[in-house]
Amino acid sequence: MQPDMLDSAAGQFALLRPGANPRQSLRAWDAADEYLISHIQDAYKNKPITVFNDHFGALGTALNHQVKYWITDSYCALQSLELNQKKNNLVSELTVVSPLDQWSSNATLGVMKLPKNLSYLHFLLQGCFKSNISTVLIAGMMKHLPKNILSFLQRFGTVERFPFKKKATIYKLTLENVERSAYPKSNILRNIKLISHANVFGRDKLDPGAEFLLDNITALPSANSVADLCCGSGILGLQYAKAYANQNDELHLDFFDESFMAMRSAELSWVKNNINGHANFYWEDGISNKHQGYDLIICNPPFHEEHTVGDHIAKRLFNDAKQHLNKNGKLIIVGNRHLGYHVTLKSYFKHVTQIAANGKFVLLSAHA
Ligand SMILES: C[S@@+](CC[C@H](N)C(=O)[O-])C[C@H]1O[C@@H](n2cnc3c(N)ncnc32)[C@H](O)[C@@H]1O
């Protein structure tokens, strides 16, 4: 992995973007990060800050001396921050906090990359308000701004928008009034009670890919040790456990997600459903080496990382799954037909078979 040089108002930093395929020209920052760094150097030099949603640790690295709290839902973002701080020989005093923890801000300045989903933005602004962060700088690229972003932010206070630079902008929000977020939220989907935190995939409705897998749940093999990889709020693992736990006292499920909110949502959902069997919940990038093998891994893989679409994450996950299957273990995935996962899986597994398909989705089983 080769670093790129960020030449910023706060200095030069060699930044890595872990997980990107070497053939993809993906960097660990964008013009919105550069804008935030330069504005903070000009207007808030040395002011203690709380950073939110820093995808690859560019802000945490370049503004290292000012960052007191670094709030992340993403395990991959945390790994990137640690890697980039090390790469730049920085000794960090920042405290890493999940968005579900209480953080006491000591009246820091809030500095945020615009989240993709507005429910999560609302949740974070509620957290800022509770912890005495009165000013939040929110930066994003023009192409990623929701149409209603200005009126959305105005619900929470006074907003000033800075001029676009390199197609990026900053909103300065002075928080005055933050209504309660609707999250965590309870839903019942296909007879499963789901609790979903604000940044969880499929928090309001069932993903059509997940639905296709659930339509075919009885075609999955019975297994003792099962992983729900990329679990979201846990719908796939929960439905599997519901279908198979009564036939199998030994059933043990591990749920994995790189989103802290997803991992916690799956845990809350598991408790709500009183299902037989044992379960553990892990906040990880894929499946780490500390885990033993599984008889079955089920997965509805992501095909984008924030705004970047691609199969680079799915490939990493397939490789992880391969390392964590027992001798006769199977990986079962659901995916959009057009993503061509049957071909991708073939580079990791000897046997790939189609369990079911419709016009849009395929359900594939892979084993060594
Ligand atoms: C398509 S959603 C599937 C969620 C749920 N299983 C469903 O079917 O509704 C993909 C999930 O993968 C998670 N994810 C993305 N990258 C990951 C990684 N490197 N390791 C673990 N989980 C990841 C996302 O947070 C998201 O919850």
Side-chain angles (χ1 to χ4, degrees):
M1 199 186 348
Q2 285 301 316
D4 290 301
M5 287 310 284
L6 166 65
D7 199 353
S8 77
Q12 277 205 335
F13 301 90
L15 295 182
L16 294 158
R17 175 158 170 168
N21 175 325
R23 275 170 298 160
Q24 293 170 298
S25 57
L26 295 174
R27 289 186 321 188
W29 75 94
D30 60 19
D33 291 293
E34 290 175 18
Y35 202 169
L36 275 174
I37 295 166
S38 111
H39 181 65
I40 288 165
Q41 284 295 300
D42 287 348
Y44 299 98
K45 206 173 167 126
N46 300 324
K47 171 137 179 102
I49 60 181
T50 298
V51 170
F52 301 85
N53 212 29
D54 181 15
H55 306 144
F56 301 100
L59 297 172
T61 302
L63 300 169
N64 176 63
H65 63 290
Q66 284 177 256
V67 183
K68 293 287 166 236
Y69 300 95
W70 193 83
I71 317 279
T72 187
D73 185 42
S74 161
Y75 187 86
C76 295
L78 176 56
Q79 281 183 313
S80 302
L81 173 76
E82 288 170 351
L83 193 71
N84 281 321
Q85 290 203 320
K86 198 163 162 208
K87 182 88 199 154
N88 292 278
N89 302 317
L90 296 174
V91 181
S92 171
E93 287 177 11
L94 59 80
T95 305
V96 175
V97 188
S98 98
L100 293 176
D101 289 323
Q102 289 291 325
W103 68 89
S104 95
S105 79
N106 298 328
T108 54
L109 171 75
V111 175
M112 190 185 293
K113 283 300 284 298
L114 180 70
K116 228 175 127 184
N117 106 53
L118 294 182
S119 311
Y120 184 45
L121 175 57
H122 184 163
F123 186 87
L124 292 178
L125 293 176
Q126 175 181 271
C128 289
F129 195 61
K130 276 194 200 154
S131 59
N132 287 329
I133 294 179
S134 55
T135 305
V136 192
L137 302 175
I138 304 164
M141 298 301 297
M142 190 192 276
K143 63 182 175 193
H144 300 149
L145 300 178
K147 277 200 181 79
N148 61 342
I149 186 66
L150 183 61
S151 57
F152 180 87
L153 292 175
Q154 281 168 338
R155 280 168 42 197
F156 303 100
T158 307
V159 184
E160 182 188 347
R161 189 179 69 68
F162 296 174
F164 279 100
K165 282 189 189 165
K166 291 198 205 163
K167 298 186 178 164
T169 191
I170 299 177
Y171 294 90
K172 179 180 173 187
L173 170 62
T174 308
L175 286 169
E176 282 148 15
N177 163 41
V178 179
E179 52 202 84
R180 245 183 99 82
S181 147
Y183 292 88
K185 202 172 186 179
S186 302
N187 280 318
I188 301 183
L189 299 177
R190 294 182 68 125
N191 251 348
I192 300 276
K193 295 176 190 150
L194 284 184
I195 309 290
S196 301
H197 282 292
N199 199 27
V200 178
F201 177 88
R203 61 197 167 278
D204 295 316
K205 59 177 177 20
L206 193 55
D207 170 61
E211 187 159 32
F212 185 64
L213 190 151
L214 297 178
D215 287 343
N216 291 284
I217 200 92
T218 51
L220 269 54
S222 172
N224 288 347
S225 63
V226 178
D228 180 346
L229 176 58
C230 301
C231 62
S233 47
I235 181 78
L236 303 183
L238 284 161
Q239 188 75 269
Y240 181 88
K242 212 169 165 194
Y244 290 91
N246 289 336
Q247 308 162 19
N248 181 0
D249 289 343
E250 306 277 297
L251 180 63
H252 184 111
L253 266 126
D254 284 347
F255 292 83
F256 294 89
D257 206 291
E258 76 93 34
S259 153
F260 191 82
M261 285 191 156
M263 184 273 291
R264 278 276 181 264
S265 301
E267 192 170 16
L268 291 170
S269 303
W270 175 268
V271 172
K272 271 271 172 204
N273 286 279
N274 294 318
I275 295 172
N276 287 340
H278 311 277
N280 287 307
F281 303 85
Y282 298 100
W283 188 43
E284 291 188 3
D285 173 12
I287 305 179
S288 75
N289 289 336
K290 72 180 186 205
H291 299 280
Q292 305 290 319
Y294 295 96
D295 303 327
L296 175 64
I297 299 179
I298 49 182
C299 184
N300 177 9
F303 56 93
H304 53 77
E305 184 178 42
E306 286 295 323
H307 296 285
T308 310
V309 176
D311 63 359
H312 58 291
I313 317 169
K315 284 180 173 161
R316 262 171 45 219
L317 294 167
F318 296 163
N319 193 41
D320 269 14
K322 181 182 170 185
Q323 314 303 324
H324 288 90
L325 283 173
N326 290 334
K327 191 157 170 270
N328 294 314
K330 288 185 171 147
L331 167 67
I332 294 189
I333 66 133
V334 65
N336 253 290
R337 258 175 189 284
H338 76 263
L339 294 170
Y341 282 149
H342 56 287
V343 178
T344 317
L345 281 168
K346 273 275 184 192
S347 32
Y348 300 91
F349 297 90
K350 196 159 173 210
H351 304 278
V352 179
T353 49
Q354 183 176 296
I355 303 176
N358 66 13
K360 209 160 171 215
F361 295 102
V362 283
L363 187 63
L364 302 169
S365 170
H367 65 276

